[in-house]
């Protein structure tokens, strides 16, 4: 016999009521239903939160670039005596162990510190490697790099383009939606595909994916700060 909430309420408020066994059964059924709802909603929130966090990490690197420029009046890719590489451009943001002779003469060496707190870092100096925390980001993959590139999806200006390698596709899509307002791997400030999109050459053009990826892990490129 199927019981509705109205009939349950009627029985509970009537003089007859339920037996102890019936009451325990009803409470157990309600508890199971509530648990199922919590689990379903919880997983949805966790998945959405993860993607939102990915977008926040991309923004955090952008903010760190801006903070570095504000304090040093140079962008990371021109902060060293040699042309910045995708690895060294990130390295200048995370530590002050780069030898003094390696810094450009106009860099204030007394104001160098880690301005990307919360990220996993291995190595020191210009060889320091920074990792995001998604998918394989806690192993030897999931590396963050950046270079001054042009990105056709946002115009002809040079940008500090940030690349997150080996990011789960679901997180990339949520980051895309959070930043660009829609999910499209080939348009906007966030693009992603199965191969590297960052051009390691200073001033080069970012490679724009031509199709929506289906692989479980993708490489994300984000057009961050305008540098010219």
């Amino acid at each position: 016999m199927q019981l509705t909430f109205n009939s349950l309420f009627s029985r509970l408020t009537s003089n007859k009521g339920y037996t102890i066994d019936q009451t325990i059964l009803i409470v157990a059924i309600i508890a199971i239903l509530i648990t199922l709802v919590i689990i379903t909603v919880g997983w949805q929130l966790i998945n959405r939160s993860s993607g939102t966090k990915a977008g926040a990490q991309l923004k955090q690197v952008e903010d760190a670039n801006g903070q570095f420029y504000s304090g040093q009046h140079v962008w990371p890719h021109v902060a060293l005596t040699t042309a910045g590489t995708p690895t060294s451009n990130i390295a200048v943001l995370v530590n002050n162990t780069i030898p003094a002779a390696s810094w450009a003469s106009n860099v204030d060496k007394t104001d160098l510190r880690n301005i990307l707190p919360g990220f996993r870092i291995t190595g020191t100096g210009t060889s320091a490697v920074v990792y995001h925390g998604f998918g394989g980001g806690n192993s030897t993959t999931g590396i963050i790099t950046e270079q001054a590139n042009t990105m056709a999806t946002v115009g002809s200006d040079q940008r500090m383009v940030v690349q997150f390698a080996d990011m789960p596709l679901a997180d990339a899509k949520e980051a895309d939606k959070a930043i660009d307002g829609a999910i499209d791997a080939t348009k906007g400030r966030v693009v992603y595909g199965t191969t590297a999109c960052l051009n390691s050459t200073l001033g080069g053009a970012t490679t724009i994916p031509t199709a929506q990826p289906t692989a479980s892990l993708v490489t994300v490129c984000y057009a961050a700060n305008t540098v010219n």
Side-chain angles (χ1 to χ4, degrees), residues 179-225:
I179 293 173
D180 287 335
I183 297 175
D184 191 329
T186 66
K187 297 179 180 178
R189 297 180 68 187
V190 177
V191 299
Y192 43 97
T194 54
T195 58
C197 38
L198 190 68
N199 190 322
S200 61
T201 302
L202 182 64
T206 300
T207 301
I208 308 300
T210 57
Q212 306 301 321
T214 58
S216 59
L217 293 177
V218 295
T219 297
V220 177
C221 275
Y222 170 56
N225 321 73

Side-chain angles (χ1 to χ4, degrees), residues 54-196:
Q57 282 198 9
L58 291 169
K59 289 282 191 180
Q60 188 176 349
V61 178
E62 180 179 28
D63 291 344
N65 286 329
Q67 186 177 345
F68 186 87
Y69 180 82
S70 178
Q72 299 292 350
H73 307 294
V74 293
W75 293 103
H77 67 290
V78 290
L80 302 174
T81 56
T82 56
T85 67
T87 300
S88 69
N89 292 338
I90 286 290
V92 303
L93 301 177
V94 298
N95 64 71
N96 61 355
T97 61
I98 296 174
S102 297
W103 291 102
S105 59
N106 56 339
V107 170
D108 181 3
K109 301 170 187 65
T110 65
D111 189 30
L112 297 172
R113 61 193 185 281
N114 182 3
I115 52 177
L116 275 179
F119 289 84
R120 177 174 171 259
I121 304 167
T122 61
T124 59
T126 57
S127 298
V129 178
V130 184
Y131 304 84
H132 61 72
F134 304 93
N138 290 320
S139 62
T140 57
T141 59
I143 294 173
I144 304 174
T145 51
E146 70 173 356
Q147 183 59 288
N149 277 183
T150 57
M151 184 183 282
T153 56
V154 293
S156 59
D157 289 339
Q158 275 198 11
R159 301 274 193 135
M160 292 306 297
V161 177
V162 182
Q163 177 176 276
F164 278 26
D166 303 300
M167 177 177 282
L169 179 59
D171 291 321
K173 287 182 175 180
E174 287 292 345
D176 190 11
K177 186 175 182 179
I179 293 173
D180 287 335
I183 297 175
D184 191 329
T186 66
K187 297 179 180 178
R189 297 180 68 187
V190 177
V191 299
Y192 43 97
T194 54
T195 58

